[in-house]
Amino acid sequence: MACKAFLSGVVVLAMVGLISACGPQIDKTTAEPEPITADNALALRDVVSSQLAPLQLGGSDYLLLASEKRGLVLVDAEGGEKLALDGGTVERFALQQQAQDSWLIAVYDEDSGELQLRLLDLEEGSPRIRYLGAMATSAPQVAMCFSRQAGRTHLFAIDENGLGHEYVVHPREQAWQFTGVRPLYFGEQVSSCVVDDRSGKLLVAQPPLGIWSLNADAEMDEAREVFAASAELAEEAFGGLWLDGVSGNLWLTAGHKVLAFNINTPRQKPHFAEVLANMEPVSAAVQRGALLALEEESDQIHRFAVALPEPAPEMQAFRGPIEIPRVRASGQTVPVQSGGDAADDPAIWVNPANPAASLILGTDKKSGLSVYDLNGKLLEHFAVGRVNNVDLRPMQHGKFVAIAAATNRTDPGVSLFGITADGQVEHLGLRNLEMDDPYGLCVYRKGADLMAWVSDKEGPVQLLQIVPGSGNVDWSLKKVATLAVASQVEGCVVDDEMQMLFFGEEDGGIWRLDIAAFLGGEAKPQLIAAVDGERLAADVEGMGLYVNNQEGAGDKSYLVVSSQGNNSYALFSRDGSQFVGHFKVDINLDKNLDGSSETDGLEVSSAAFSSDYPQGLLVVQDGRNRMPSQTQNFKLVSWADIAETLNLPQ
């Protein structure tokens, strides 16, 4: 049967295998290189090991081995035993250097069914292994690897069923803790994993499919792709991944071979491939210029004197992504009701009588509008349809102290909401628009009038006046003007005092418009900050104004913009002319909060809400809600923490 006939209806993993099989095949008639023979072997005592890794302590070379009889065994470069746990059944471990002469080890102990953390260091010049903490697992773990992210240690562990988990591992008073970040799904037969911290890539060996590469950062798209297909490995069994971070060489075993790939060039053939005589290695590494190899459940380490590949030339020129400062999340709302890409845009109502009783309004663009308190508790949900963007302003009215407006894509128009002095929110109904797909929205005050800019997803932006009614049903919208735009606009905000509109062209940048001059026919939008991939990375999404009108505040007001392409938030001067800095919202382990990413909408206020938010509050939509993985929500960030991180004027 033709290869393409198999492709319909199969899962992605199987597709990759079939694509490999249907693509170019290695010519089995090509002569294999002559097998190489070990120069010598280091004899071990009753270790029964299937994994080794080199390390240094006190300037000396050592080898750490998993032992099915004795847990972990440490030997010197000549095979002399220096240390053993003498307990437990360990087949796999992960190793990460913490500091000079300090190594963190994760093992799966088959006897206890636990993931365990250990620390290997020196005590008065002699190696020692200390217990740090443990966590029971529901299935045996077959692959483990560490990642270093923003100064934290993350552990990836994958079980025999192909279910992986990412944890942050960190010290607590009594023992180290495993804080779950997200699940990862691979399918069966995973054999090993490794993380390249320079590029932020997690690599997973899964015979017979190949080696996967995906982003190690949970706040980024997974972006799973094939690093090495099975056809390039030419074996059904492969694994034993070990990364030489200095040279940039990824080592692995495949059948009788030991292979090395350039970690920087996926989908390339190996630049080292040797057949080992009379053995099938399961673990290989390099130490002191020699290749070391270990057979399954072995008591011998074979050493080969062979020409090793040169360091990858890219290692000299490689520059990792620009490190953006991080600010810890302070709080979060409960997850939205709808799954998938649902949460979108927040607004903040400041309760003038009691700022601590202020409200957060957040859109669920598959369901309606939710109302939260400052602790993130859901107070009410209005199931009014597919509301996308929401904004509000205070106003003088007999019943309400503020009006919120939200674009509604179910029945194209704007849904209006009134907020009373005691914080009660009432739905005032839908006002239809002559618009195909109402998308972005921002509200502002022009004297006593309440105005709104509303964008059509595939069309122009309309300026509307919100005309009050005496009751709940006689409010109306009056079209004032139309603004032509070059491409899709969603995020926008108005500086009421300056009567200046800022809006984001998702792939272009930030535009500014003098509203009064525009209405007088004398102004067009100006591009004041273009997408450059660093300060602003497409898509440009949510916008908010941090306005500090306190006496002597000077230049302490800022335009805040969601730079969705690099999961950051950019600060500009109030008029948008100067870039001030940017930051990411990061994990807060003390409060068990994840960071935020893929942010659509945001809102910010300079009000002093409480001791948690003494200088104001930033609320951002979180497109990937982790720790644990749940539907999307909104993250809360203290402006005081932002100001401290970016060294803003106090």
Side-chain angles (χ1 to χ4, degrees):
M1 186 180 292
C3 282
K4 65 180 182 180
F6 284 99
L7 295 180
S8 61
V10 293
V11 296
V12 174
L13 295 179
M15 285 179 66
V16 175
L18 289 171
I19 290 169
S20 304
C22 298
Q25 299 295 297
I26 291 180
D27 184 358
K28 298 295 186 178
T29 64
T30 302
E32 293 252 350
E34 286 292 325
I36 59 174
T37 304
D39 292 87
N40 56 63
L42 307 181
L44 308 174
R45 179 180 60 85
D46 202 27
V47 172
V48 188
S49 179
S50 297
Q51 184 185 358
L52 61 81
L55 57 89
Q56 278 200 333
L57 285 171
S60 299
D61 291 318
Y62 292 89
L63 292 169
L64 184 68
L65 298 115
S67 172
E68 294 189 25
K69 290 188 174 183
R70 302 165 61 198
L72 290 168
V73 174
L74 184 73
V75 301
D76 62 25
E78 305 306 320
E81 187 172 310
K82 297 298 180 182
L83 185 67
L85 283 183
D86 283 328
T89 301
V90 175
E91 293 188 6
R92 297 286 182 270
F93 64 82
L95 184 66
Q96 183 189 66
Q97 187 166 11
Q98 296 289 288
Q100 185 175 359
D101 299 331
S102 177
W103 296 81
L104 184 65
I105 308 169
V107 303
Y108 174 70
D109 186 340
E110 292 187 7
D111 294 344
S112 65
E114 292 178 327
L115 269 173
Q116 298 179 355
L117 293 174
R118 307 272 179 169
L119 186 69
L120 172 62
D121 60 5
L122 294 175
E123 183 179 36
E124 297 182 354
S126 298
R128 64 173 179 174
I129 295 179
R130 290 184 287 158
Y131 173 86
L132 298 179
M135 180 186 70
T137 65
S138 59
Q141 307 295 298
V142 296
M144 289 163 288
C145 47
F146 283 118
S147 168
R148 186 170 281 109
Q149 301 180 32
R152 297 182 303 271
T153 296
H154 291 234
L155 173 67
F156 293 92
I158 307 171
D159 69 27
E160 63 182 5
N161 302 311
L163 176 59
H165 286 93
E166 178 184 0
Y167 305 96
V168 180
V169 292
H170 52 105
R172 281 291 183 255
E173 292 184 4
Q174 302 299 323
W176 278 49
Q177 183 174 328
F178 295 73
T179 298
V181 176
R182 59 167 166 168
L184 291 161
Y185 305 95
F186 295 97
E188 297 179 357
Q189 301 188 68
V190 168
S191 62
S192 56
C193 67
V194 70
V195 175
D196 177 18
D197 285 327
R198 292 168 65 98
S199 65
K201 296 294 185 181
L202 165 67
L203 292 103
V204 178
Q206 187 178 18
L209 299 176
I211 299 174
W212 297 106
S213 170
L214 55 152
N215 283 322
D217 187 344
E219 296 294 354
M220 297 178 66
D221 284 332
E222 192 175 278
R224 189 179 303 207
E225 62 181 10
V226 176
F227 177 87
S230 57
E232 294 156 4
L233 303 171
E235 295 288 344
E236 289 192 359
F238 50 83
L241 297 179
W242 178 76
L243 177 62
D244 184 348
V246 176
S247 70
N249 290 317
L250 176 69
W251 293 85
L252 67 146
T253 62
H256 292 276
K257 301 187 188 74
V258 173
L259 310 174
F261 289 84
N262 182 340
I263 191 67
N264 303 301
T265 54
R267 299 310 299 263
Q268 300 294 315
K269 293 185 178 298
H271 57 197
F272 178 93
E274 293 287 354
V275 178
L276 308 189
N278 304 317
M279 69 176 297
E280 291 190 18
V282 294
S283 182
V286 172
Q287 189 180 61
R288 293 186 175 182
L291 173 66
L292 306 178
L294 185 72
E295 289 187 280
E296 188 170 6
E297 299 180 351
S298 175
D299 274 331
Q300 282 190 325
I301 301 172
H302 298 266
R303 179 182 287 159
F304 298 82
V306 63
L308 299 174
E310 294 293 325
E314 295 89 346
M315 298 302 287
Q316 299 301 319
F318 180 84
R319 295 292 182 269
I322 296 174
E323 187 60 34
I324 297 174
R326 294 172 181 257
V327 180
R328 297 195 307 170
S330 304
Q332 64 180 350
T333 67
V334 298
V336 298
Q337 297 177 7
S338 304
D341 185 18
D344 193 87
D345 188 44
I348 303 171
W349 174 67
V350 180
N351 186 327
N354 181 11
S358 298
L359 302 175
I360 298 169
L361 279 60
T363 61
D364 179 336
K365 60 190 177 185
K366 296 182 180 181
S367 171
L369 183 76
S370 296
V371 181
Y372 310 91
D373 64 17
L374 293 185
N375 293 317
K377 178 184 177 182
L378 179 65
L379 302 178
E380 191 168 9
H381 179 75
F382 295 92
V384 297
R386 298 168 53 228
V387 292
N388 199 70
N389 277 36
V390 63
D391 200 6
L392 61 83
R393 283 294 187 275
M395 71 174 300
Q396 292 182 347
H397 184 270
K399 183 176 183 181
F400 304 114
V401 298
I403 296 296
T407 49
N408 196 318
R409 302 167 75 181
T410 298
D411 187 4
V414 171
S415 293
L416 298 176
F417 301 85
I419 304 174
T420 64
D422 60 353
Q424 298 301 309
V425 181
E426 295 185 22
H427 182 216
L428 305 182
L430 174 73
R431 305 298 179 268
N432 291 112
L433 295 177
E434 293 180 0
M435 190 175 287
D436 292 331
D437 194 1
Y439 197 48
L441 175 144
C442 48
V443 178
Y444 73 102
R445 291 190 58 82
K446 179 184 178 184
D449 294 331
L450 199 60
M451 313 293 290
W453 291 93
V454 180
S455 70
D456 194 335
K457 189 168 185 179
E458 302 298 336
V461 180
Q462 293 185 14
L463 176 59
L464 308 171
Q465 181 180 353
I466 302 174
V467 182
S470 56
N472 287 10
V473 298
D474 52 352
W475 293 67
S476 62
L477 301 177
K478 178 182 176 182
K479 185 176 177 181
V480 176
T482 299
L483 173 66
V485 292
S487 64
Q488 191 172 95
V489 169
E490 182 177 12
C492 66
V493 67
V494 175
D495 187 328
D496 294 33
E497 183 179 337
M498 305 297 180
Q499 291 291 290
M500 200 73 67
L501 167 68
F502 300 90
F503 64 89
E505 182 188 3
E506 293 189 354
D507 296 327
I510 303 170
W511 294 79
R512 183 179 65 197
L513 177 68
D514 184 321
I515 299 174
F518 166 72
L519 293 176
E522 300 175 357
K524 293 182 178 180
Q526 295 178 304
L527 182 66
I528 57 173
V531 167
D532 60 7
E534 294 183 3
R535 295 177 176 181
L536 279 180
D539 291 342
V540 176
E541 293 280 351
M543 293 185 176
L545 274 169
Y546 180 87
V547 179
N548 191 337
N549 286 325
Q550 293 181 353
E551 185 177 349
D555 59 352
K556 297 176 185 176
S557 297
Y558 305 96
L559 174 66
V560 186
V561 181
S562 168
S563 175
Q564 194 179 78
N566 58 6
N567 296 321
S568 71
Y569 308 89
L571 263 63
F572 293 84
S573 57
R574 180 172 179 171
D575 66 359
S577 63
Q578 295 183 342
F579 175 77
V580 175
H582 53 180
F583 63 94
K584 292 186 175 184
V585 175
D586 199 21
I587 288 173
N588 186 332
L589 290 174
D590 293 336
K591 295 184 176 181
N592 203 39
L593 301 171
D594 67 312
S596 66
S597 58
E598 200 76 13
T599 290
D600 290 325
L602 61 79
E603 187 55 283
V604 63
S605 172
S606 61
F609 292 97
S610 64
S611 59
D612 290 332
Y613 307 106
Q615 297 180 32
L617 168 67
L618 172 68
V619 180
V620 301
Q621 181 259 357
D622 183 11
R624 302 183 184 91
N625 189 17
R626 313 292 195 186
M627 297 175 57
S629 293
Q630 301 178 88
T631 57
Q632 296 177 343
N633 71 345
F634 299 91
K635 294 295 189 291
L636 283 62
V637 187
S638 171
W639 188 265
D641 293 340
I642 297 170
E644 180 181 4
T645 300
L646 297 186
N647 295 315
L648 301 179
Q650 298 294 311

